[in-house]
Amino acid sequence: MAAAKPTPTDSLSFCLAQLMAAAGEGLGRGKDTATNETPLGRALLALRTRHVKGAGGIERFRARGGLLPLLALLRRASAVGHAPSQAGPGSAPSSVESAASAGPAPSSGPTPSVASSSTSSLPARLRKTLDLALSILANCCTEGACRDEVRRLGGILPLVTILQCVKIDSIQNRTARALGNLAMESESCRAIHSAGAVPLLVESLAACQDSQCLQSVVRTIRNLADSPQHRLALAQQGAVRPLAELLAAAPDPALTLALVRALLELSRGCSRACAEQLSLGGGLSPLVSLASHPKKAVREAAILILANLCAQGLVRPALGNAGGVEVLLGELQRRRGPSGAGPASQQPLVRAVCLLCREAINRARLRDAGGLELLMGLLRDPRASAWHPRVVAALVGFLYDTGALGRLQALGLVPLLAGQLCGEAGDDEEEGREAASWDFPEEQTPERVEAGSFRSLRSWLISEGYAAGPGDTSPDWSPERCPLPPPPEPAEQTSPDPGPALLRPPRTLRTPGRSLAAPEEPWGREGPALLLLSRFSQAPDPSGALVTGPALCGLLAYVTGAPGPPSPRALRILARLTCNPACLEAFVCSYGAALLRSWLVLGVAPDDWPTLRARPLSRHSQHRELGEMLLQNLTVQAESPFGVGALTHLLLSGSPEDRVACALTLPFICRKPSLWRRLLLDQGGLRVLLSALTRPAPHPLFLFFAADSLFCLQSLVSPTATPASPPAVPGDPEVPSPCLYEPLLGPAPTPAPDLHFLLDSGLRLPAQRATSSTASPFFRALLDGSFAEAQMDLVPLRGLSPSAAWPILHHLHGCRGCGASLGPIPPPGRPLLGSEAEEALEAAGRFLLPGLEEELEEAVGHVHLGPQSGPESVGEVFRLGRPRLAAHCARWTLGPQQCPRKRALGLLGLVEAAGKETGPLTEALLAVVMEGVSGGKGPSVDC
């Protein structure tokens, strides 16, 4: 087949020449009679279909200078269309017949809905020229370099003029498409806004009936919403309502997609104007319906629009009525499922659900749709930690919903709230006033008319500290404008002990005619969690939720670890719990009282055991005062008739774990001697505690609590006397007595030895037979009896090393306190088991030398259990299995000179050394505790 005959329009140069000529001479040049087309028309058609459309064609067209004549042509066209229309800004031109001599243009395509006489009689040639030129420009503006050059050449204003003057759908479509492509650049977007294109685009939305044209206009509006300022400008110029009305008219799928994409962009950081227009345009119900659209892009855009609208309180009730609560909850549940998306896609939905909790009607819908369980799942999810503060703040909305609070408590909210008190701050942005609850809409009162109800409200505000005086309130007051965010708490119980000023919530008495500034409580990130915890603590019996290990740990960690002064609300919660008789058993069984003493009074937190952490001590005295006040509150409850009955029941009829917890807690909260003696001594509480030491610990700090409890009990038993010292041995190790054995060791011993003991090592030790025989029944029988050794001058002593034999020979010859007993004792840090000290102790017992045993034990205690000794030595000494040394270990452990941590570590060493043999440890601790009862002869302790 023969090749197609080349035409002049195949040359880009020819087309550009025609374009330049038309730009210089005008639009009405003569036409070719053979083709019924002007050369300009053929050139424009070739440019659009061949030169610009090909690969690299747009760049060649721009590089050859095609944009300048193209814009000049459009500028001439806009001038021709705009010349007759000088009636006023924004008015359509009356006629453009003078632009050409041709008759009216034939009708083609959809009929315009609104067309002035100028557009209905626009010549077909001019109309086609505009169509082709606008199409070429729109195609060129898909590339960034062309967009920059069009803006630099001033091509935006002619487009806006064409949009204003030529009301033909095809031209409006291509003009909007070109503006939409230009709006992809931020500088061009600003220029389009400045040129006044937005009202014309909004007018096109209402006038146009062609779907393609509407899609182009909607896309242009979407691209113009590139910044918060531009989105607000579009909403204020009425661009949202026509979009919502079009969406409500159930358009075709392509236009529906364009509409939801535009509304999604306009609703980012949703302004009040945007929300109002979308609601007035009837867009809420269609958006809820589109949330189940089969097309993913439409479905997700509709859901995100609903989420964005939740930022405006005025639209949230209507959104809930339209079914938006269930839609957003369902989508968030789906995204949090196993096959859902990541956390980033959940963020807008979490924010929307939390905002929906601000209105009562939506809270009811959210509760019925399973929203409480969803919010609790977010709080439990460590990946959602950035949203936890927002979720907790949302749950404050349910503060007075008894049913919801019960459900939240059953789901485990309280320990999660306690954990939030010291958690990291979230990264959510602050909400504006528009996001406030619409349950309290803003009302503008034209006149300050104070009705009786307002006077009552003002009186209540002043009494509760929300206002300093009558001048601080007005009939326009609303909770959202209140200077103190948290609502007032109901009347709170106070401790019978006034306590330090730090722990009492500030109260200001007000007298008529006098106004005093109300002290503001700190309201930080922990404020919502504390408000919810305070609400839970006001229940008749809050023990099941708040008097637990996690809840108390969270409260105490906040009180002691807050960077500034803690909120008085946290102190009131603790005081309220300790003053509630219903919480007494929970404080006992959960080791709460012991935790209060350990953390607040002693300054030892769970993280400080067994390894001490460095923490500031600047407010330790204040924490100590708080702890003592709380323990005093518990003491009042424990010593009341109800408390005595509850503690007796726990100790005698409770479970084994409760009996141990009760016995451990009693020394902390019982001060009446008749009560603690009866429960701990007469009814066996002390033995219950001691027998539990070697069993698996029921609490991480059990041994710390137990050591402190035994110390407190010892202080109760002997409130003024110091613990008894171990029996003294003759001679002070620091000041040794004269040695009576040393004269036998010199080169000229006096008196001369008449006996030598032979050790396994071959060493011979001199001795006096008579002195040795009188020192011990063993040696009396050995040396003066019927044994063969009585006739021997060299008596073997088997199984005895020189170091172990040395104190024995000294003791046989009357040395007491000469320092020989210190010889076999290893230095601190060296093991005692298997040492020469153990061998010497064993030999002293074998040779029936009780005085030497006592002296050796005292030497061991002097070296290993001195004032500077560490708690690790206690277990080593106890492992020797000596009753007197066991008592010495217990006395060192419970001594007042030890700090709480050393005391607890010493008890830990004793428990580890005792192993499964609990008897020796129990008896040693019991003896030490009871030393102060009647001079050490206290009453019998029942089992």
Side-chain angles (χ1 to χ4, degrees), residues 530-556:
L530 282 175
L531 192 60
L532 284 167
L533 289 174
S534 179
R535 181 69 174 89
F536 281 116
S537 71
Q538 295 165 19
D541 183 6
S543 59
L546 277 167
V547 190
T548 61
L552 290 177
C553 285
L555 283 168
L556 294 178

Side-chain angles (χ1 to χ4, degrees), residues 760-786:
D760 293 340
S761 63
L763 179 64
R764 297 185 180 193
L765 297 177
Q768 288 286 333
R769 185 181 295 270
T771 305
S772 300
S773 299
T774 59
S776 163
F778 175 86
F779 284 101
R780 184 182 305 115
L782 181 69
L783 301 177
D784 292 343
S786 57

Side-chain angles (χ1 to χ4, degrees), residues 517-870:
E520 291 191 9
E521 293 187 0
W523 180 264
R525 179 196 48 79
E526 71 281 358
L530 282 175
L531 192 60
L532 284 167
L533 289 174
S534 179
R535 181 69 174 89
F536 281 116
S537 71
Q538 295 165 19
D541 183 6
S543 59
L546 277 167
V547 190
T548 61
L552 290 177
C553 285
L555 283 168
L556 294 178
Y558 166 71
V559 169
T560 59
S567 170
R569 180 171 281 114
L571 309 182
R572 293 198 298 270
I573 292 172
L574 291 171
R576 188 181 299 123
L577 294 175
T578 53
C579 290
N580 191 338
C583 296
L584 177 62
E585 287 193 28
F587 268 106
V588 172
C589 296
S590 67
Y591 297 91
L595 186 65
L596 291 176
R597 174 173 166 82
S598 166
W599 206 326
L600 297 176
V601 178
L602 302 179
V604 178
D607 292 341
D608 296 331
W609 172 258
T611 303
L612 180 64
R613 284 195 317 164
R615 61 175 68 249
L617 301 177
S618 56
R619 298 200 302 271
H620 178 62
S621 60
Q622 299 172 352
H623 300 157
R624 184 183 184 90
E625 292 176 357
L626 171 62
E628 290 172 350
M629 185 203 75
L630 298 177
L631 289 174
Q632 179 62 31
N633 293 345
L634 290 175
T635 298
V636 172
Q637 304 304 322
E639 294 178 351
S640 67
F642 169 80
V644 172
L647 293 176
T648 304
H649 173 76
L650 277 178
L651 189 62
L652 298 182
S653 304
S655 64
E657 294 80 8
D658 291 346
R659 295 182 65 203
V660 172
C662 182
L664 185 145
T665 307
L666 281 171
F668 301 140
I669 62 176
C670 290
R671 293 293 181 265
K672 288 183 178 179
S674 59
L675 179 58
W676 61 259
R677 282 177 183 272
R678 176 165 60 85
L679 293 177
L680 288 174
L681 305 184
D682 299 340
Q683 295 179 354
L686 179 56
R687 281 198 178 271
V688 169
L689 173 59
L690 294 177
S691 62
L693 293 178
T694 56
R695 294 201 294 265
H699 190 278
L701 289 175
F702 177 73
L703 286 179
F704 185 93
F705 294 159
D708 192 33
S709 177
L710 292 173
F711 173 73
C712 290
L713 179 58
Q714 187 184 35
S715 302
L716 292 174
V717 172
S718 306
T720 57
T722 57
S725 301
V729 296
D732 189 348
E734 299 294 337
V735 183
S737 302
C739 181
L740 302 179
Y741 181 62
E742 187 176 358
L744 294 176
L745 302 176
T750 56
D754 57 359
L755 175 69
H756 285 81
F757 289 108
L758 178 63
L759 304 182
D760 293 340
S761 63
L763 179 64
R764 297 185 180 193
L765 297 177
Q768 288 286 333
R769 185 181 295 270
T771 305
S772 300
S773 299
T774 59
S776 163
F778 175 86
F779 284 101
R780 184 182 305 115
L782 181 69
L783 301 177
D784 292 343
S786 57
F787 293 100
E789 286 81 357
Q791 308 301 323
M792 299 170 59
D793 294 332
L794 187 62
V795 178
L797 290 180
R798 304 298 183 189
L800 201 63
S801 66
S803 297
W806 192 254
I808 293 175
L809 269 296
H810 278 261
H811 188 80
L812 290 177
H813 290 80
C815 291
R816 300 292 186 269
C818 68
S821 58
L822 294 173
I825 310 301
R830 298 278 299 275
L832 286 170
L833 283 180
S835 68
E836 294 169 344
E838 184 184 22
E839 183 185 354
L841 284 167
E842 187 274 333
R846 174 156 54 98
F847 296 148
L848 304 180
L849 298 171
L852 178 59
E853 285 188 84
E854 188 173 348
E855 187 175 354
L856 287 170
E857 290 172 354
E858 181 63 23
V860 170
H862 175 76
V863 174
H864 289 268
L865 298 177
Q868 305 301 324
S869 301

Side-chain angles (χ1 to χ4, degrees), residues 450-505:
E450 297 186 4
S453 60
F454 173 71
R455 287 195 296 269
S456 300
L457 173 61
R458 182 176 63 186
S459 175
W460 177 80
L461 291 173
I462 296 174
S463 66
E464 291 298 319
Y466 284 95
D472 290 351
T473 57
S474 71
D476 293 332
W477 179 89
S478 71
E480 298 301 330
R481 299 174 180 174
C482 181
L484 291 180
E489 297 186 35
E492 301 172 350
Q493 290 180 326
T494 57
S495 169
D497 181 8
L502 165 74
L503 309 175
R504 293 195 298 270

Side-chain angles (χ1 to χ4, degrees), residues 66-145:
L67 288 175
L68 181 61
L70 182 63
L71 292 175
L73 182 65
L74 290 175
R75 195 173 287 109
R76 279 180 172 274
S78 65
V80 170
H82 190 60
S85 61
Q86 302 298 330
S91 60
S94 59
S95 66
V96 290
E97 284 88 346
S98 59
S101 58
S107 175
S108 62
T111 304
S113 59
V114 178
S116 63
S117 59
S118 65
T119 57
S120 61
S121 59
L122 189 68
R125 190 190 314 162
L126 176 59
R127 180 171 145 186
K128 185 173 182 180
T129 299
L130 279 175
D131 274 334
L132 290 173
L134 289 169
S135 178
I136 294 170
L137 181 62
N139 290 337
C140 288
C141 288
T142 57
E143 294 192 0

